[in-house]
Amino acid sequence: MFTHIYYKMKVWVKRISPLYPYTFLLFSLFALLPLTSLAQSETERYRGIYDRAEQDYNIGRLEEAQQSLKDNLSDFPLGLRMSAYRMLSLCCLGLDQDDAAEEYVRMMLDENPYYSTTASDPQRFIDMVENIKVGRTATITTASSQAEQLNEVPVPTTLITQEMIQDCGARNLQEVLATYVPGMNIVDCNDDINIAMRGIYSNGQEKILIMLNGHRLNSFATNIASPDFSISLEKVKQIEVLRGPASSLYGGVSLTAVVNVITQQGADVDGVEAKAGIGSYGQIKGNLLFGKRYFDLDLLVWGSLYRAKGESVYIPREETGMQMIDGDVTIGGIGPEPSYDFGVQMKYRGLQFLYNSTSSQVISPFTMSYTFSPYTLNKYRTQNGLAPSFANISHHANLSYSGKVGNVWLKGTATYDNSDLTHYQIISEPEVSAMAKVLPVPDGIQQQLSGHGGISRYLNGQEHTIGGKLQGDWSYADNDTHRGLLTFGVEYSYFELDDVRYNFGYDFTKQAVENDSIPILGKGHESNMNGFVQMKHHWRSFILNAGLRFDYKNRYNDTKIRETSPRLALIYVQPKWNLKLSYSKAFIDAPYLYRKTNLFLANFMGFTQYAEDLDPESLYSWQFTFGATQWVPGLNFELNAFYNHARDLIVPYLIEHSNSGNINTYGLELSASYQRRRLSAHLNATWQDISHNQQAGTDYNHALNIPQLTANGVVAWQATRNLRLHTHIGFEGRQHTNYIDIITYAYYQATLSIWMDKVDELDEYLSDPDCDLEVLQKMQDEIALLRTTAQELQDKIQVNKTLPARVLFDIGASYRWRNLTLTANIKNLFNHHYSQGGMSTCLVPQRGRWMMFEIAYKF
């Protein structure tokens, strides 16, 4: 029965996937029209009541205004209710009812903890709001799967609010994380948008778990959830980031960090918000957000589009010493189809439903990492409607129900995920000659491509995953001395990759004959079962937080993975400071795609040493954290010391993958925030030292492109009642990088082959009793020259560079007039030109000065 439902669902999704963006928009339009009309009529009636109360307040009829608002407070929509709390507080202050005024301010902050006063508010009201906010601690749900204050979270955590996102002017999730999260750095791997945490990263963002309201977004085939424009920021209420391993709760993707994107509630939006933007380099942006709460039903619907032609940069060959040709590269290109993010979220009492559809598409600046050269995008044919790019169209569905059974709060969840993954790469624009032997092309296809240029590779597959989870929370102790909560659960997921296509093109528009056995080799399915338990016990000022999870995975080839992930934290909490000491161990299974790539190398290219499976990667982490709140009014800060030991990291060397990297990292992280009246500031800084130890069989240096010192500062100032200004300053220290020069490597391989042939000829000639000594000497001289040449080439295969330190400035402004908001942001204000390295690639030039102008209106 279970399998039948799974396949029915898979067929249905495949049929509607190409039409989903259009059907979604039509459905949303027709669904929202009657709801919007109803909402407008309700809002207009209560708006009239509120306006009359405000008029009474303005003419001094405080008691009449107070009574009118009290009588209708429970019926007001959220937006008006927030205004009513404020007005009631002002009325109470005018009547010298300070205790009642404070109570209404607390009720207002319960609805919106990030409420900010304006310069036109009475000073007594401003002081009251600031004083009450000072005594509050924000809460998150990601660390222990239940709401808890930041000072009780067992691991260092960064909370990024909606206001902080707006103040930093970030364009996507990657930039938000790099701005606010200590230890996170942007790395550029040419093929995808990527980010590193404490020096650990890979070809794509695959070692950090990214979730949407607790639902995993990472692909089950690649482990990647690109933090790009396919995750819109407009719908976000806050982002919760756990810094460090989190497998004890979230399993085998959360190796270095967990990022949980929390959306707004329908009641937070309370209407329709429309936004449009236009910017430099062909940027076009659109966003629509609808939210309402109807009694027990909360509804949120969002849609977002982003497109950019990208910045064209001319790259001469000598700049990096690796390209085969000169030419222009495209930086920051999205397209030709836009990235989008559509979704709907509904909550009715204990029932919750989430559906999200996204499209991610990134144009690689260079050809694939083996050749790494500029290319002309519009010369190549489209494949399945896509130009050369990395693309992923995903659908995520989540249905859950929670309720209390006795003393236990239970929650059951069913999930379905579908992704269409495409890697359409350019291998080489010029004709391939000496490099042919090192390209990832089977011998039969290699003969078809010989003597041709404009060579490309197209890889496509569709994955389906269905899963279920049952979780319980049991409060086993609750008295004056002890409070204890036990969380437990079981989870199951079934993954399948099918419809695999793998072919090559040449002469820009022609297609080589496909090898039928390659797609069959790529298909497969895997299942995972796990159980976890977590205890959180309060004793006076101490908190013990311990967790354990066991994962059992059955891979496509029937090999078994058994991993245990423990966590132990001891926390000491005082009113204005806290201490945390924690240990945790996490793992991440080798991506399905990497394991299949190695199998492909073994079956079709004769690299039998890579036929064995890759092992999971592991990370052991110790962290000690000191946090302080309100030592100075408005100032909070946290200092964290960490030590990480990573084992069996998967390292690419040209085209294969192997468990060849170990990394030890220790460092200090500082994060601080200051908020007082019209000024807010956020600062973070990281110092880390990374030591690496590669096992035999690889020279690739994994611990590169990560600066030892980084710092970010964001300052925002409410200049006037309507105008808010902000700036971001980012510093990255000197970085070391190295990469493989594939051209030198190809000539090294060719020279080595000729040298070996000459040695065989010499051995055969020596067996001839009539050999000529002069000819023999000449052959020996040729062999010596080839050996010298091969040694010289081998020494040049690894290219080492040092990137200088850099400081980047971003500025922005937002002007709000009634329901209209105008925003302008300029990234890299001084147009600083710099490059960034990544995993197994040469240096990639980064964006220069980019600008975006947006207009938003709230209905």
Side-chain angles (χ1 to χ4, degrees):
M1 181 65 181
F2 180 83
T3 306
H4 177 73
I5 294 173
Y6 165 74
Y7 281 104
K8 285 288 187 182
M9 185 179 296
K10 186 175 74 171
V11 171
W12 176 77
V13 170
K14 288 170 65 176
R15 288 176 178 173
I16 71 165
S17 293
L19 301 175
Y20 176 74
Y22 310 102
T23 56
F24 180 90
L25 288 174
L26 290 174
F27 170 78
S28 300
L29 178 63
F30 286 111
L32 297 184
L33 283 176
L35 293 176
T36 304
S37 300
L38 176 61
Q40 286 177 343
S41 62
E42 287 183 351
T43 302
E44 289 173 3
R45 182 166 68 89
Y46 289 118
R47 169 62 69 179
I49 296 173
Y50 175 81
D51 289 343
R52 287 192 294 272
E54 188 175 35
Q55 291 172 7
D56 287 339
Y57 170 80
N58 291 332
I59 63 177
R61 300 176 60 184
L62 303 183
E63 293 180 345
E64 289 83 351
Q66 187 183 54
Q67 190 60 48
S68 176
L69 292 172
K70 283 183 178 180
D71 292 342
N72 295 276
L73 188 59
S74 61
D75 296 324
F76 278 149
L78 179 63
L80 279 178
R81 190 159 66 246
M82 290 289 298
S83 300
Y85 287 142
R86 172 185 173 275
M87 185 60 62
L88 281 166
S89 180
L90 294 175
C91 290
C92 292
L93 287 174
L95 296 170
D96 292 326
Q97 301 170 353
D98 288 0
D99 290 343
E102 287 188 6
E103 183 61 28
Y104 285 120
V105 169
R106 288 191 177 92
M107 294 168 70
M108 179 179 68
L109 293 176
D110 285 340
E111 296 280 4
N112 180 12
Y114 313 108
Y115 174 84
S116 297
T117 57
T118 64
S120 62
D121 287 327
Q123 191 60 47
R124 285 178 65 195
F125 177 74
I126 295 175
D127 291 341
M128 184 175 289
V129 170
E130 294 300 325
N131 289 335
I132 293 175
K133 287 176 70 173
V134 159
R136 287 175 170 244
T137 304
T139 61
I140 69 168
T141 60
T142 307
S144 300
S145 194
Q146 63 257 328
E148 57 187 347
Q149 295 182 342
L150 279 176
N151 59 357
E152 297 180 358
V153 174
V155 294
T157 302
T158 300
L159 176 64
I160 305 170
T161 66
Q162 186 180 42
E163 186 177 73
M164 291 168 64
I165 295 173
Q166 295 167 355
D167 286 344
C168 74
R171 294 168 290 202
N172 54 39
L173 181 61
Q174 180 201 44
E175 293 182 356
V176 172
L177 298 176
T179 299
Y180 286 114
V181 182
M184 280 197 178
N185 305 95
I186 292 177
V187 290
D188 199 320
C189 297
N190 186 45
D191 302 329
D192 204 355
I193 288 181
N194 202 356
I195 195 162
M197 180 66 184
R198 295 175 180 170
I200 297 177
Y201 63 96
S202 190
N203 280 328
Q205 177 283 318
E206 62 192 48
K207 305 187 191 303
I208 299 173
L209 173 63
I210 297 180
M211 302 188 296
L212 179 66
N213 292 338
H215 181 97
R216 166 178 167 160
L217 299 182
N218 296 66
S219 160
F220 286 80
T222 64
N223 288 350
I224 292 174
S226 298
D228 59 6
F229 300 96
S230 63
I231 304 176
S232 68
L233 298 177
E234 282 77 10
K235 67 177 183 295
V236 176
K237 181 175 184 178
Q238 64 186 45
I239 302 172
E240 302 170 3
V241 184
L242 307 185
R243 309 196 315 263
S247 286
S248 64
L249 194 59
Y250 295 108
V253 183
S254 49
L255 186 73
T256 61
V258 173
V259 177
N260 194 7
V261 179
I262 309 295
T263 63
Q264 300 181 62
Q265 302 293 309
D268 297 328
V269 180
D270 195 36
V272 178
E273 296 179 3
K275 179 186 288 187
I278 189 169
S280 54
Y281 304 111
Q283 293 182 93
I284 298 175
K285 184 178 181 181
N287 187 79
L288 184 66
L289 194 62
F290 170 84
K292 270 295 176 182
R293 178 174 292 170
Y294 303 97
F295 302 102
D296 292 329
L297 175 65
D298 188 276
L299 175 65
L300 179 72
V301 181
W302 69 86
S304 179
L305 295 168
Y306 177 85
R307 182 176 179 179
K309 291 182 180 178
E311 179 181 357
S312 182
V313 178
Y314 177 76
I315 304 294
R317 185 188 188 284
E318 60 271 15
E319 184 164 311
T320 62
M322 185 173 176
Q323 289 95 340
M324 297 169 61
I325 58 175
D326 299 344
D328 293 324
V329 299
T330 300
I331 307 300
I334 305 293
E337 299 297 327
S339 288
Y340 63 74
D341 179 5
F342 298 107
V344 58
Q345 176 181 273
M346 293 185 291
K347 296 184 178 181
Y348 180 75
R349 297 183 180 176
L351 185 67
Q352 297 185 27
F353 173 73
L354 169 70
Y355 187 87
N356 183 219
S357 179
T358 64
S359 174
S360 171
Q361 191 171 180
V362 178
I363 297 174
S364 300
F366 295 95
T367 58
M368 68 193 316
S369 300
Y370 316 115
T371 54
F372 211 83
S373 299
Y375 65 97
T376 306
L377 182 70
N378 57 14
K379 285 184 177 181
Y380 295 85
R381 60 175 292 177
T382 59
Q383 295 264 24
N384 198 23
L386 292 174
S389 60
F390 280 65
N392 182 17
I393 298 175
S394 298
H395 306 276
H396 307 278
N398 184 308
L399 180 65
S400 66
Y401 183 79
S402 58
K404 196 170 185 180
V405 180
N407 294 328
V408 179
W409 189 267
L410 291 175
K411 181 178 181 180
T413 304
T415 61
Y416 178 74
D417 298 270
N418 164 263
S419 292
D420 193 294
L421 312 166
T422 300
H423 287 186
Y424 183 7
Q425 300 169 293
I426 307 305
I427 296 178
S428 174
E429 196 146 288
E431 179 183 332
V432 175
S433 54
M435 288 187 301
K437 293 185 179 181
V438 298
L439 291 177
V441 181
D443 291 338
I445 297 177
Q446 201 169 87
Q447 293 176 5
Q448 297 182 56
L449 304 182
S450 180
H452 297 276
I455 299 175
S456 61
R457 181 179 73 163
Y458 179 80
L459 173 64
N460 173 263
Q462 190 171 86
E463 67 169 277
H464 308 267
T465 305
I466 191 167
K469 180 179 180 180
L470 179 64
Q471 178 177 319
D473 295 311
W474 174 41
S475 178
Y476 63 85
D478 189 2
N479 53 54
D480 294 339
T481 307
H482 295 275
R483 285 185 293 123
L485 183 68
L486 189 68
T487 299
F488 54 90
V490 292
E491 192 174 6
Y492 173 82
S493 63
Y494 177 86
F495 153 81
E496 181 179 8
L497 184 70
D498 62 7
D499 294 339
V500 176
R501 289 189 59 199
Y502 191 74
N503 57 52
F504 295 84
Y506 64 96
D507 290 344
F508 304 102
T509 59
K510 297 178 181 178
Q511 186 168 312
V513 177
E514 291 191 43
N515 186 324
D516 294 337
S517 56
I518 295 179
I520 295 174
L521 181 69
K523 296 180 181 181
H525 59 83
E526 299 183 337
S527 62
N528 182 80
M529 297 180 63
N530 66 76
F532 60 91
V533 62
Q534 179 177 266
M535 180 189 71
K536 182 178 181 182
H537 191 94
H538 293 248
W539 178 66
R540 296 179 181 175
S541 297
F542 289 93
I543 301 174
L544 176 65
N545 193 311
L548 183 66
R549 173 172 169 139
F550 177 74
D551 280 83
Y552 176 84
K553 184 172 184 178
N554 187 21
R555 288 179 169 180
Y556 69 86
N557 57 359
D558 287 333
T559 57
K560 317 298 182 187
I561 300 297
R562 298 174 179 87
E563 288 285 342
T564 302
S565 305
R567 180 182 74 187
L568 180 65
L570 183 63
I571 307 167
Y572 182 68
V573 180
Q574 289 295 296
K576 288 195 172 185
W577 59 277
N578 61 82
L579 289 172
K580 304 174 184 177
L581 178 63
S582 66
Y583 163 78
S584 54
K585 178 253 180 180
F587 81 99
I588 179 172
D589 192 22
Y592 176 90
L593 187 62
Y594 288 179
R595 290 181 273 125
K596 283 291 187 176
T597 299
N598 279 9
L599 188 62
F600 160 77
L601 294 174
N603 284 16
F604 293 97
M605 301 190 69
F607 296 172
T608 55
Q609 64 268 41
Y610 304 112
E612 296 184 2
D613 267 349
L614 295 168
D615 295 325
E617 303 166 273
S618 300
L619 179 64
Y620 303 81
S621 180
W622 291 261
Q623 303 191 79
F624 181 70
T625 311
F626 173 77
T629 56
Q630 304 303 320
W631 282 10
V632 175
L635 176 65
N636 300 321
F637 71 89
E638 179 187 84
L639 184 64
N640 179 58
F642 67 88
Y643 172 76
N644 286 349
H645 173 60
R647 293 175 50 187
D648 295 325
L649 292 178
I650 296 175
V651 176
Y653 186 80
L654 294 180
I655 57 177
E656 70 272 9
H657 298 83
S658 62
N659 293 105
S660 302
N662 295 337
I663 290 182
N664 296 320
T665 310
Y666 58 89
L668 294 173
E669 298 170 339
L670 169 68
S671 57
S673 65
Y674 178 79
Q675 190 156 359
R676 198 68 177 172
R677 296 182 182 173
R678 294 190 295 172
L679 178 69
S680 68
H682 296 270
L683 170 70
N684 69 80
T686 304
W687 175 87
Q688 57 186 339
D689 188 78
I690 305 172
S691 62
H692 46 86
N693 176 27
Q694 280 72 43
Q695 300 169 8
T698 178
D699 297 323
Y700 184 77
N701 196 340
H702 183 89
L704 293 170
N705 305 301
I706 302 298
Q708 193 173 51
L709 180 64
T710 59
N712 287 276
V714 177
V715 179
W717 178 46
Q718 193 71 39
T720 69
R721 180 177 181 178
N722 299 326
L723 178 63
R724 187 173 181 86
L725 306 175
H726 61 261
T727 183
H728 166 233
I729 302 175
F731 167 80
E732 288 198 346
R734 189 174 58 179
Q735 302 175 33
H736 300 286
T737 183
N738 79 355
Y739 50 85
I740 304 297
D741 189 328
I742 189 64
I743 300 174
T744 303
Y745 181 78
Y747 283 114
Y748 166 73
Q749 291 282 13
T751 303
L752 199 64
S753 178
I754 297 172
W755 176 22
M756 292 298 101
D757 290 342
K758 289 293 184 181
V759 170
D760 291 340
E761 288 181 19
L762 178 62
D763 290 342
E764 184 178 348
Y765 194 70
L766 285 172
S767 63
D768 185 353
D770 298 326
C771 63
D772 189 307
L773 294 178
E774 184 176 345
V775 174
L776 181 63
Q777 184 62 47
K778 185 177 181 181
M779 293 178 68
Q780 291 175 334
D781 291 344
E782 288 180 357
I783 291 173
L785 180 61
L786 286 168
R787 181 173 54 193
T788 302
T789 303
Q791 185 62 53
E792 291 175 352
L793 289 170
Q794 187 179 30
D795 293 340
K796 295 178 181 179
I797 291 174
Q798 292 270 342
V799 180
N800 295 281
K801 287 181 176 288
T802 299
L803 304 181
R806 57 179 178 264
V807 180
L808 301 179
F809 294 85
D810 308 325
I811 62 170
S814 177
Y815 183 82
R816 178 172 294 177
W817 181 72
R818 295 184 180 179
N819 291 345
L820 182 69
T821 304
L822 303 175
T823 304
N825 282 294
I826 303 177
K827 306 291 291 185
N828 195 356
L829 176 65
F830 299 111
N831 197 26
H832 179 65
H833 295 280
Y834 66 103
S835 296
Q836 176 69 52
M839 177 71 71
S840 187
T841 66
C842 186
L843 299 179
V844 180
Q846 302 297 294
R847 294 180 179 94
R849 184 190 300 114
W850 283 53
M851 295 177 284
M852 172 65 79
F853 304 94
E854 297 175 283
I855 180 171
Y857 191 82
K858 173 71 178 291
F859 296 92

